[in-house]
Amino acid sequence: MAWRQRRRFLWALCTLCLMTASLAAEPERKDLHPNDAVKASPEYKAFKSARDAEDNDGMLENARRLLEKFPASALSHFALGDAHWILGEYERMLPPLRRTVELDPQDALSWALLGEGLFALRRFAEAIPAFQEATRLDPDDAMSWSRLGSACMRLKRWPESEAHLLKALALKPSLDTERQARGLLTTLYFRQGKAEKAEASALESLKLAPD
């Protein structure tokens, strides 16, 4: 078909792919940062219980109490950052998570969640180093590879974006993460005018559509 018609067709496919990705639930991160001493405390148990019960007020209050009792613990700072993340308070989650990675720079999950907060605030240039650390420390974290690819795409860093998204897909991630990565890859190819790759990726994405 003529390029103009094909472009319309691909744009419709890209839109459908992104709609499919948006229908997927936000993928769950792994369990909280391990720290046996803090985890044994009643404050942490109350925090975790409230978090699991989706009691937002109780979750935030107990996260604050945990930090007051264990101010030098990376997990205490992480818990407060995690609470703000769940509440959608992205600016407030950054200070405790920055402190978390200062106290425990080898924890991939803390870097990943810091990247999520920066990404949610559209601070993509700042999110990239956080996701890079997360993927360096945990090379099998497909979600962080996908987010890294998305952040690079927002800054028009096309080759890096493609490499990161393909890495996410190569890890055979959860279905939700696969839908997101595939939809992003389709959009990336379309924006670069790579019609054949966009079409092939779009058709793969449609196979992942929810029933």
Side-chain angles (χ1 to χ4, degrees):
M1 63 179 74
W3 168 241
R4 183 171 295 178
Q5 291 176 306
R6 192 173 190 181
R7 185 177 174 83
R8 290 198 191 102
F9 170 69
L10 287 173
W11 176 249
L13 279 178
C14 284
T15 301
L16 184 55
C17 288
L18 290 177
M19 288 175 63
T20 298
S22 68
L23 288 174
E26 186 69 19
E28 290 268 338
R29 286 276 177 194
K30 289 173 284 186
D31 197 8
L32 294 175
H33 184 293
N35 186 309
D36 292 340
V38 177
K39 280 189 171 182
S41 69
E43 290 83 4
Y44 179 79
K45 292 177 181 178
F47 161 76
K48 190 66 166 63
S49 177
R51 184 181 186 270
D52 293 344
E54 300 183 359
D55 173 8
N56 292 339
D57 291 339
M59 174 186 64
L60 185 58
E61 179 61 28
N62 283 293
R64 289 170 173 160
R65 289 176 180 172
L66 185 68
L67 185 56
E68 288 177 4
K69 186 172 182 177
F70 301 99
S73 165
L75 177 55
S76 298
H77 291 275
F78 182 91
L80 183 58
D82 181 60
H84 286 305
W85 162 249
I86 291 172
L87 293 170
E89 298 173 346
Y90 305 125
E91 286 285 359
R92 291 184 176 181
M93 72 183 280
L94 298 183
L97 285 170
R98 291 192 191 282
R99 182 58 178 153
T100 302
V101 297
E102 287 177 5
L103 292 168
D104 187 0
Q106 298 304 308
D107 183 63
L109 179 56
S110 299
W111 283 108
L113 196 59
L114 176 60
E116 294 282 7
L118 292 164
F119 188 95
L121 291 166
R122 304 184 65 81
R123 291 160 60 173
F124 304 119
E126 296 176 69
I128 286 173
F131 286 129
Q132 286 173 332
E133 276 300 296
T135 54
R136 182 183 69 82
L137 293 164
D138 183 2
D140 295 329
D141 182 0
M143 194 193 310
S144 286
W145 282 111
S146 181
R147 283 286 197 266
L148 181 54
S150 182
C152 287
M153 183 172 70
R154 303 299 180 97
L155 298 179
K156 298 184 178 180
R157 291 163 58 170
W158 308 128
E160 293 171 80
S161 178
E162 180 180 11
H164 299 324
L165 292 170
L166 289 173
K167 176 66 174 180
L169 292 169
L171 290 169
K172 300 188 182 303
S174 68
L175 182 58
D176 287 338
T177 300
E178 186 177 3
R179 285 171 180 160
Q180 291 182 355
R182 179 61 67 182
L184 289 165
L185 189 63
T186 302
T187 303
L188 174 66
Y189 288 143
F190 179 79
R191 289 182 178 177
Q192 294 180 91
K194 297 181 178 180
E196 291 184 3
K197 284 190 172 184
E199 186 173 349
S201 183
L203 293 174
E204 287 297 315
S205 185
L206 293 179
K207 295 177 184 178
L208 303 172
D211 295 332

